[in-house]
Amino acid sequence: MSTYRSGAGDPARTLQLLWRRLDDGPRRGPRPGRSLDDIVSAAIELADAEGLDAVTMRRVAQAVGVAPMTLYGYLPGKAELLDLMVDALYARLPRPDRAGQPWRTRVAAVARDNRDLFAAHPWAAEVATGRPPLGPGLMAKYEYELRAFDDTGLDDVTRDAALTFLLDFVRAAARSAAEARATRRETAQSEEQWWAANGPLLATVLDEEAYPTAVRVGAAAGAAHNAAVDPDHAYEFGLDRVLDGLAALIDPVAARRSTAADPG
Amino acid sequence: MSTYRSGAGDPARTLQLLWRRLDDGPRRGPRPGRSLDDIVSAAIELADAEGLDAVTMRRVAQAVGVAPMTLYGYLPGKAELLDLMVDALYARLPRPDRAGQPWRTRVAAVARDNRDLFAAHPWAAEVATGRPPLGPGLMAKYEYELRAFDDTGLDDVTRDAALTFLLDFVRAAARSAAEARATRRETAQSEEQWWAANGPLLATVLDEEAYPTAVRVGAAAGAAHNAAVDPDHAYEFGLDRVLDGLAALIDPVAARRSTAADPG
DNA sequence: CCGTACATTGTACAACGTACGCCGTACGGT
DNA sequence: ACCGTACGGCGTACGTTGTACAATGTACGG
């Protein structure tokens, strides 16, 4: 359990690392035995396999085949490692040419790409980026995703806001999904087991007079999803709302479809 | 630097604690010197004053005037304490009667109440609740907030999804704001200082040929907000999109206003 | 009035990030 | 060719976290 904060160290040094602007002046003494990418790749593999909690400096060092403190010759600290991991992930995202497709299809595809990213690397959604890691990966991602709003008539400021809105939604959904999975794993209880264990107590305590709407709606939603929270359904529903909300801005006349976005 | 996870312990025990169903059989031996509420209140005060990082079992115990391990006589562990803190917060939320107002006003008011909650207690947005703490506070909140969708014509399952969508949005916005504040505090750098320190390097690295759209849009957005990220603006913009997105579902005919919701 | 149930707590442990300082290597200058 | 030194590597250690365990002391039921 750790709040995976990023970017705490010297920001200028972080930028140099992200863009690999290591000032290699006159070399003296032994050459570095590993590369920055070795470390970042090992950390990503570790996070993919065992989650962000497993990404400790000791574990990463072990994976790289080096003593823990050796890592500090390559990076200032763990915060920078997290930044580098996230930027490396962003750099790998697919960027197919979607010119010619309608904006809603393109924007939905951006959402899906991000969702896939978080599905493959759930830890990425947990890294807090108060100031985002302005590395080559994020820049390429930003450049590409902004193009999804080409021909929407949005001015630049609004275009940025629209993209932020979309990405924040996908990220929040990914966090919810990750939290739900983590809870299920930690308590080693499925949703059914939980209700079997707690239903009786809840029944005595949730009288319908005190919470009539909550009991009725909660029961209906629970029955529909077979769970108290259903991240997948929340994502599908939310994405449609997000796209409709953007459509109200982009196509103010015909903003009336609540169907799911077409595939791309 | 901690992933504030909640609800890890025995779920049944957690429920008993939330609803204060402590089985007080025949008393023997010394009476407890404090109450559960003493501990929860002290923890909330601590979190309000110094953030969630400051809420350690030792600090809470100190605030209550007791040895650290004494807390474990009242709660199974820290996860349950976090659950209790969140539920206590929810119980305190205002719940004015908003019958008669249009749905968009009521829903906007729900968003504002939640935003105010996270403004007063930023740590609440950081507590991960894979399975939400089904205590009296959350139930009262759920009951009240569902009523904001009365007369919208939404069925129960959709009503739950709509509320979840709205609350997830507000929470994500609060997290972004908290992260931005934390970053600014930790690096002790304002946005202007950051750009002064990193602008030169960024300029050499962000050539407009590689990222034409990104550079242009980023510059426009940065100039408009005086910052790379502007949580307040993201919230205002996002809330309008959220309401428009819900409107497309609720008022499919006249879904065309992108003005901010009226006050309530 | 005493035995016991229970609240309280001191100590301890395994993790974490990382500061500090020593070791040995291999290059630049001569 | 050689040596001084800059620099990569790392062993050890510190302060922090949540909490397990066993000892201590208190106040009630019989």
Short mmCIF file of all heavy atoms in Angstrom, two decimals, chain B residues 45-92:
data_model
loop_
_atom_site.label_atom_id
_atom_site.label_comp_id
_atom_site.label_asym_id
_atom_site.label_seq_id
_atom_site.Cartn_x
_atom_site.Cartn_y
_atom_site.Cartn_z
N GLU B 45 -9.78 14.74 11.95
CA GLU B 45 -9.13 16.03 12.20
C GLU B 45 -7.69 16.01 11.71
O GLU B 45 -7.20 16.98 11.13
CB GLU B 45 -9.17 16.35 13.70
CG GLU B 45 -10.51 16.90 14.16
CD GLU B 45 -10.52 17.12 15.67
OE1 GLU B 45 -9.45 17.45 16.23
OE2 GLU B 45 -11.59 16.94 16.29
N LEU B 46 -7.04 14.91 11.98
CA LEU B 46 -5.66 14.78 11.55
C LEU B 46 -5.54 14.85 10.03
O LEU B 46 -4.69 15.56 9.48
CB LEU B 46 -5.11 13.44 12.05
CG LEU B 46 -3.61 13.25 12.18
CD1 LEU B 46 -2.97 14.40 12.92
CD2 LEU B 46 -3.32 11.94 12.87
N ALA B 47 -6.41 14.14 9.36
CA ALA B 47 -6.37 14.13 7.90
C ALA B 47 -6.70 15.51 7.34
O ALA B 47 -6.08 15.97 6.39
CB ALA B 47 -7.36 13.09 7.36
N ASP B 48 -7.67 16.18 7.96
CA ASP B 48 -8.01 17.52 7.50
C ASP B 48 -6.82 18.46 7.66
O ASP B 48 -6.56 19.30 6.80
CB ASP B 48 -9.21 18.07 8.30
CG ASP B 48 -10.51 17.42 7.90
OD1 ASP B 48 -10.55 16.75 6.84
OD2 ASP B 48 -11.49 17.55 8.65
N ALA B 49 -6.13 18.32 8.77
CA ALA B 49 -5.07 19.28 9.08
C ALA B 49 -3.79 18.98 8.31
O ALA B 49 -3.09 19.90 7.89
CB ALA B 49 -4.79 19.28 10.59
N GLU B 50 -3.46 17.71 8.16
CA GLU B 50 -2.13 17.39 7.63
C GLU B 50 -2.16 16.39 6.48
O GLU B 50 -1.10 15.95 6.03
CB GLU B 50 -1.23 16.84 8.75
CG GLU B 50 -1.05 17.79 9.91
CD GLU B 50 -0.07 17.25 10.93
OE1 GLU B 50 0.96 16.70 10.52
OE2 GLU B 50 -0.34 17.34 12.15
N GLY B 51 -3.32 16.01 6.03
CA GLY B 51 -3.39 15.09 4.90
C GLY B 51 -3.36 13.64 5.32
O GLY B 51 -3.06 13.30 6.47
N LEU B 52 -3.67 12.79 4.37
CA LEU B 52 -3.83 11.37 4.67
C LEU B 52 -2.51 10.71 5.07
O LEU B 52 -2.50 9.74 5.81
CB LEU B 52 -4.43 10.66 3.45
CG LEU B 52 -5.28 9.42 3.70
CD1 LEU B 52 -6.27 9.66 4.82
CD2 LEU B 52 -6.00 9.01 2.45
N ASP B 53 -1.41 11.26 4.60
CA ASP B 53 -0.11 10.70 4.98
C ASP B 53 0.11 10.79 6.48
O ASP B 53 0.82 9.97 7.06
CB ASP B 53 1.01 11.42 4.25
CG ASP B 53 1.18 10.95 2.83
OD1 ASP B 53 0.72 9.83 2.53
OD2 ASP B 53 1.76 11.68 2.02
N ALA B 54 -0.47 11.82 7.09
CA ALA B 54 -0.26 12.02 8.52
C ALA B 54 -1.09 11.04 9.35
O ALA B 54 -0.84 10.89 10.55
CB ALA B 54 -0.60 13.45 8.90
N VAL B 55 -2.05 10.41 8.74
CA VAL B 55 -2.92 9.48 9.47
C VAL B 55 -2.20 8.14 9.59
O VAL B 55 -2.41 7.22 8.80
CB VAL B 55 -4.28 9.31 8.78
CG1 VAL B 55 -5.16 8.35 9.56
CG2 VAL B 55 -4.98 10.66 8.65
N THR B 56 -1.33 8.05 10.55
CA THR B 56 -0.69 6.78 10.89
C THR B 56 -1.29 6.32 12.21
O THR B 56 -1.82 7.13 12.98
CB THR B 56 0.82 6.93 11.06
OG1 THR B 56 1.09 7.68 12.25
CG2 THR B 56 1.42 7.64 9.86
N MET B 57 -1.22 5.04 12.45
CA MET B 57 -1.80 4.53 13.69
C MET B 57 -1.15 5.21 14.89
O MET B 57 -1.81 5.49 15.89
CB MET B 57 -1.63 3.02 13.75
CG MET B 57 -2.35 2.28 12.63
SD MET B 57 -4.12 2.62 12.55
CE MET B 57 -4.78 1.30 13.57
N ARG B 58 0.13 5.49 14.79
CA ARG B 58 0.82 6.15 15.90
C ARG B 58 0.30 7.56 16.14
O ARG B 58 0.04 7.98 17.28
CB ARG B 58 2.32 6.16 15.63
CG ARG B 58 2.96 4.77 15.73
CD ARG B 58 4.40 4.75 15.22
NE ARG B 58 4.62 3.63 14.31
CZ ARG B 58 5.18 2.48 14.65
NH1 ARG B 58 5.60 2.30 15.87
NH2 ARG B 58 5.31 1.51 13.79
N ARG B 59 0.14 8.30 15.02
CA ARG B 59 -0.32 9.68 15.18
C ARG B 59 -1.76 9.72 15.69
O ARG B 59 -2.10 10.54 16.55
CB ARG B 59 -0.25 10.42 13.83
CG ARG B 59 1.13 10.72 13.31
CD ARG B 59 1.84 11.78 14.13
NE ARG B 59 1.09 13.01 14.28
CZ ARG B 59 1.09 14.03 13.44
NH1 ARG B 59 1.82 13.97 12.35
NH2 ARG B 59 0.39 15.11 13.67
N VAL B 60 -2.60 8.84 15.18
CA VAL B 60 -3.99 8.81 15.64
C VAL B 60 -4.03 8.46 17.12
O VAL B 60 -4.73 9.10 17.91
CB VAL B 60 -4.82 7.81 14.82
CG1 VAL B 60 -6.20 7.65 15.41
CG2 VAL B 60 -4.91 8.27 13.36
N ALA B 61 -3.25 7.46 17.51
CA ALA B 61 -3.22 7.06 18.91
C ALA B 61 -2.77 8.23 19.79
O ALA B 61 -3.36 8.50 20.84
CB ALA B 61 -2.28 5.87 19.08
N GLN B 62 -1.74 8.91 19.33
CA GLN B 62 -1.25 10.07 20.07
C GLN B 62 -2.35 11.11 20.23
O GLN B 62 -2.54 11.67 21.33
CB GLN B 62 -0.06 10.66 19.32
CG GLN B 62 0.64 11.79 20.05
CD GLN B 62 1.75 12.40 19.20
OE1 GLN B 62 1.66 12.42 17.97
NE2 GLN B 62 2.79 12.87 19.85
N ALA B 63 -3.09 11.37 19.16
CA ALA B 63 -4.15 12.36 19.21
C ALA B 63 -5.25 11.95 20.20
O ALA B 63 -5.84 12.79 20.87
CB ALA B 63 -4.75 12.58 17.82
N VAL B 64 -5.49 10.65 20.28
CA VAL B 64 -6.53 10.16 21.18
C VAL B 64 -6.00 10.07 22.60
O VAL B 64 -6.77 9.99 23.55
CB VAL B 64 -7.04 8.80 20.68
CG1 VAL B 64 -8.03 8.19 21.63
CG2 VAL B 64 -7.67 8.95 19.30
N GLY B 65 -4.67 10.10 22.74
CA GLY B 65 -4.08 10.01 24.06
C GLY B 65 -3.94 8.60 24.55
O GLY B 65 -4.26 8.27 25.69
N VAL B 66 -3.40 7.74 23.70
CA VAL B 66 -3.41 6.32 23.97
C VAL B 66 -2.22 5.70 23.24
O VAL B 66 -1.65 6.32 22.34
CB VAL B 66 -4.78 5.79 23.47
CG1 VAL B 66 -4.65 4.96 22.23
CG2 VAL B 66 -5.51 5.07 24.58
N ALA B 67 -1.82 4.51 23.63
CA ALA B 67 -0.70 3.87 22.94
C ALA B 67 -1.16 3.32 21.60
O ALA B 67 -2.33 2.98 21.43
CB ALA B 67 -0.13 2.74 23.79
N PRO B 68 -0.24 3.26 20.65
CA PRO B 68 -0.63 2.85 19.29
C PRO B 68 -1.43 1.56 19.26
O PRO B 68 -2.50 1.49 18.64
CB PRO B 68 0.71 2.69 18.58
CG PRO B 68 1.63 3.61 19.28
CD PRO B 68 1.19 3.65 20.71
N MET B 69 -0.96 0.55 19.96
CA MET B 69 -1.63 -0.74 19.85
C MET B 69 -3.01 -0.75 20.49
O MET B 69 -3.81 -1.65 20.25
CB MET B 69 -0.76 -1.82 20.48
CG MET B 69 0.42 -2.20 19.63
SD MET B 69 -0.05 -2.60 17.95
CE MET B 69 -1.02 -4.08 18.23
N THR B 70 -3.31 0.26 21.28
CA THR B 70 -4.63 0.32 21.90
C THR B 70 -5.72 0.45 20.85
O THR B 70 -6.83 -0.07 21.03
CB THR B 70 -4.69 1.52 22.86
OG1 THR B 70 -3.67 1.36 23.83
CG2 THR B 70 -6.03 1.59 23.55
N LEU B 71 -5.40 1.11 19.76
CA LEU B 71 -6.41 1.28 18.71
C LEU B 71 -6.94 -0.06 18.23
O LEU B 71 -8.09 -0.16 17.82
CB LEU B 71 -5.80 2.06 17.53
CG LEU B 71 -5.30 3.47 17.84
CD1 LEU B 71 -4.77 4.12 16.59
CD2 LEU B 71 -6.39 4.31 18.47
N TYR B 72 -6.08 -1.07 18.28
CA TYR B 72 -6.49 -2.37 17.75
C TYR B 72 -7.52 -3.07 18.63
O TYR B 72 -8.01 -4.13 18.27
CB TYR B 72 -5.27 -3.25 17.50
CG TYR B 72 -4.44 -2.74 16.33
CD1 TYR B 72 -3.48 -1.76 16.51
CD2 TYR B 72 -4.66 -3.21 15.05
CE1 TYR B 72 -2.74 -1.26 15.45
CE2 TYR B 72 -3.93 -2.74 13.98
CZ TYR B 72 -2.98 -1.76 14.19
OH TYR B 72 -2.27 -1.28 13.13
N GLY B 73 -7.80 -2.49 19.78
CA GLY B 73 -8.90 -3.00 20.56
C GLY B 73 -10.23 -2.45 20.09
O GLY B 73 -11.29 -3.00 20.40
N TYR B 74 -10.18 -1.39 19.32
CA TYR B 74 -11.41 -0.76 18.83
C TYR B 74 -11.69 -1.09 17.36
O TYR B 74 -12.82 -1.07 16.92
CB TYR B 74 -11.31 0.76 18.99
CG TYR B 74 -11.25 1.21 20.42
CD1 TYR B 74 -10.04 1.23 21.11
CD2 TYR B 74 -12.38 1.60 21.10
CE1 TYR B 74 -9.97 1.66 22.44
CE2 TYR B 74 -12.34 2.02 22.42
CZ TYR B 74 -11.12 2.04 23.08
OH TYR B 74 -11.07 2.43 24.39
N LEU B 75 -10.61 -1.29 16.63
CA LEU B 75 -10.75 -1.58 15.20
C LEU B 75 -9.82 -2.71 14.81
O LEU B 75 -8.77 -2.88 15.42
CB LEU B 75 -10.31 -0.38 14.35
CG LEU B 75 -10.58 1.04 14.70
CD1 LEU B 75 -9.35 1.86 14.42
CD2 LEU B 75 -11.73 1.53 13.87
N PRO B 76 -10.18 -3.46 13.78
CA PRO B 76 -9.27 -4.53 13.32
C PRO B 76 -7.99 -3.97 12.70
O PRO B 76 -6.93 -4.60 12.79
CB PRO B 76 -10.09 -5.27 12.26
CG PRO B 76 -11.50 -4.89 12.53
CD PRO B 76 -11.46 -3.50 13.09
N GLY B 77 -8.04 -2.81 12.10
CA GLY B 77 -6.83 -2.29 11.46
C GLY B 77 -7.09 -0.97 10.79
O GLY B 77 -8.16 -0.37 10.92
N LYS B 78 -6.11 -0.51 10.07
CA LYS B 78 -6.17 0.81 9.49
C LYS B 78 -7.21 0.90 8.37
O LYS B 78 -7.86 1.94 8.18
CB LYS B 78 -4.81 1.21 8.93
CG LYS B 78 -4.75 2.65 8.52
CD LYS B 78 -3.41 3.04 7.95
CE LYS B 78 -3.42 4.52 7.61
NZ LYS B 78 -2.13 4.97 7.05
N ALA B 79 -7.36 -0.16 7.61
CA ALA B 79 -8.33 -0.14 6.51
C ALA B 79 -9.73 0.19 7.03
O ALA B 79 -10.45 0.99 6.43
CB ALA B 79 -8.32 -1.48 5.78
N GLU B 80 -10.09 -0.42 8.14
CA GLU B 80 -11.41 -0.16 8.70
C GLU B 80 -11.52 1.28 9.19
O GLU B 80 -12.58 1.90 9.08
CB GLU B 80 -11.69 -1.12 9.86
CG GLU B 80 -12.01 -2.53 9.42
CD GLU B 80 -10.76 -3.28 8.95
OE1 GLU B 80 -9.64 -2.79 9.20
OE2 GLU B 80 -10.91 -4.33 8.31
N LEU B 81 -10.42 1.80 9.71
CA LEU B 81 -10.44 3.20 10.15
C LEU B 81 -10.76 4.12 8.97
O LEU B 81 -11.58 5.04 9.07
CB LEU B 81 -9.10 3.58 10.78
CG LEU B 81 -8.95 5.05 11.19
CD1 LEU B 81 -10.03 5.46 12.16
CD2 LEU B 81 -7.56 5.30 11.79
N LEU B 82 -10.13 3.85 7.84
CA LEU B 82 -10.40 4.68 6.66
C LEU B 82 -11.86 4.58 6.24
O LEU B 82 -12.50 5.58 5.91
CB LEU B 82 -9.47 4.25 5.52
CG LEU B 82 -7.99 4.55 5.76
CD1 LEU B 82 -7.14 3.98 4.63
CD2 LEU B 82 -7.74 6.03 5.92
N ASP B 83 -12.40 3.37 6.25
CA ASP B 83 -13.82 3.20 5.92
C ASP B 83 -14.68 4.04 6.85
O ASP B 83 -15.62 4.72 6.41
CB ASP B 83 -14.21 1.72 6.05
CG ASP B 83 -13.91 0.93 4.78
OD1 ASP B 83 -13.73 1.56 3.72
OD2 ASP B 83 -13.85 -0.30 4.84
N LEU B 84 -14.39 3.98 8.12
CA LEU B 84 -15.20 4.71 9.09
C LEU B 84 -15.08 6.21 8.90
O LEU B 84 -16.05 6.95 9.06
CB LEU B 84 -14.78 4.31 10.51
CG LEU B 84 -15.20 2.90 10.92
CD1 LEU B 84 -14.42 2.44 12.14
CD2 LEU B 84 -16.70 2.86 11.21
N MET B 85 -13.88 6.67 8.56
CA MET B 85 -13.68 8.09 8.33
C MET B 85 -14.54 8.56 7.16
O MET B 85 -15.22 9.59 7.24
CB MET B 85 -12.20 8.38 8.05
CG MET B 85 -11.29 8.18 9.25
SD MET B 85 -9.53 8.17 8.77
CE MET B 85 -9.30 9.86 8.21
N VAL B 86 -14.51 7.82 6.09
CA VAL B 86 -15.27 8.22 4.90
C VAL B 86 -16.76 8.20 5.20
O VAL B 86 -17.49 9.14 4.86
CB VAL B 86 -14.94 7.29 3.72
CG1 VAL B 86 -15.90 7.52 2.57
CG2 VAL B 86 -13.50 7.50 3.27
N ASP B 87 -17.23 7.15 5.85
CA ASP B 87 -18.66 7.07 6.12
C ASP B 87 -19.11 8.20 7.05
O ASP B 87 -20.19 8.76 6.89
CB ASP B 87 -19.02 5.71 6.72
CG ASP B 87 -20.51 5.44 6.63
OD1 ASP B 87 -20.99 5.23 5.50
OD2 ASP B 87 -21.19 5.46 7.67
N ALA B 88 -18.27 8.54 8.01
CA ALA B 88 -18.61 9.65 8.92
C ALA B 88 -18.73 10.95 8.14
O ALA B 88 -19.63 11.77 8.40
CB ALA B 88 -17.54 9.77 10.01
N LEU B 89 -17.85 11.15 7.19
CA LEU B 89 -17.92 12.35 6.35
C LEU B 89 -19.23 12.38 5.58
O LEU B 89 -19.90 13.42 5.51
CB LEU B 89 -16.75 12.33 5.37
CG LEU B 89 -15.84 13.53 5.36
CD1 LEU B 89 -15.34 13.82 6.75
CD2 LEU B 89 -14.68 13.30 4.42
N TYR B 90 -19.58 11.26 4.97
CA TYR B 90 -20.81 11.20 4.19
C TYR B 90 -22.02 11.53 5.05
O TYR B 90 -22.96 12.19 4.60
CB TYR B 90 -20.98 9.80 3.58
CG TYR B 90 -20.02 9.51 2.45
CD1 TYR B 90 -19.82 8.21 2.01
CD2 TYR B 90 -19.33 10.53 1.81
CE1 TYR B 90 -18.96 7.93 0.95
CE2 TYR B 90 -18.46 10.26 0.77
CZ TYR B 90 -18.28 8.96 0.35
OH TYR B 90 -17.43 8.68 -0.69
N ALA B 91 -21.98 11.07 6.28
CA ALA B 91 -23.13 11.29 7.16
C ALA B 91 -23.35 12.78 7.42
O ALA B 91 -24.46 13.21 7.71
CB ALA B 91 -22.94 10.54 8.47
N ARG B 92 -22.28 13.56 7.31
CA ARG B 92 -22.38 14.98 7.64
C ARG B 92 -22.85 15.84 6.47
O ARG B 92 -23.07 17.04 6.65
CB ARG B 92 -21.02 15.52 8.06
CG ARG B 92 -20.42 14.90 9.30
CD ARG B 92 -19.09 15.59 9.56
NE ARG B 92 -18.26 14.88 10.53
CZ ARG B 92 -16.97 15.15 10.70
NH1 ARG B 92 -16.39 16.07 9.94
NH2 ARG B 92 -16.28 14.49 11.60
#
